[in-house]
Amino acid sequence: IETPIGYCPKKLNLIGLKNFNDDDWKALFELPVEFWKSEMANFKKYLEEQVGEDVPAAIWQEIEKVERRFVTK
């Protein structure tokens, strides 16, 4: 299943997990938008402060793509 941060599995082998229900599945793969927006902001700050100009342009492009996917969610 495609999500703003990538792909999540449609199905997992849950044999041996007792009492694992639909609510547990939803909680496991929940994507809280505000949390991820904050994570991306923190990640960008880290890259700017710790790596600076050495961050490849491709990394910034991928960050922008992820941020855009969350805006449309």
Side-chain angles (χ1 to χ4, degrees):
I1 299 172
E2 189 171 359
T3 71
I5 60 167
Y7 290 94
C8 288
K10 290 180 183 178
K11 192 171 187 178
L12 291 174
N13 180 349
L14 304 176
I15 295 173
L17 292 178
K18 296 179 181 179
N19 303 321
F20 194 87
N21 59 38
D22 287 340
D23 291 335
D24 296 325
W25 178 263
K26 289 176 187 174
L28 183 62
F29 291 103
E30 181 181 20
L31 295 170
V33 173
E34 291 308 314
F35 168 80
W36 282 103
K37 285 181 179 179
S38 174
E39 283 293 295
M40 293 306 295
N42 290 334
F43 183 55
K44 285 170 48 176
K45 181 179 177 184
Y46 168 80
L47 290 176
E48 290 166 352
E49 293 176 356
Q50 300 296 320
V51 185
E53 295 177 6
D54 292 329
V55 177
I59 298 295
W60 292 121
Q61 292 167 356
E62 288 301 315
I63 290 171
E64 288 174 16
K65 288 178 187 177
V66 171
E67 289 177 324
R68 280 195 302 272
R69 288 192 299 259
F70 272 108
V71 168
T72 61
K73 184 169 175 26

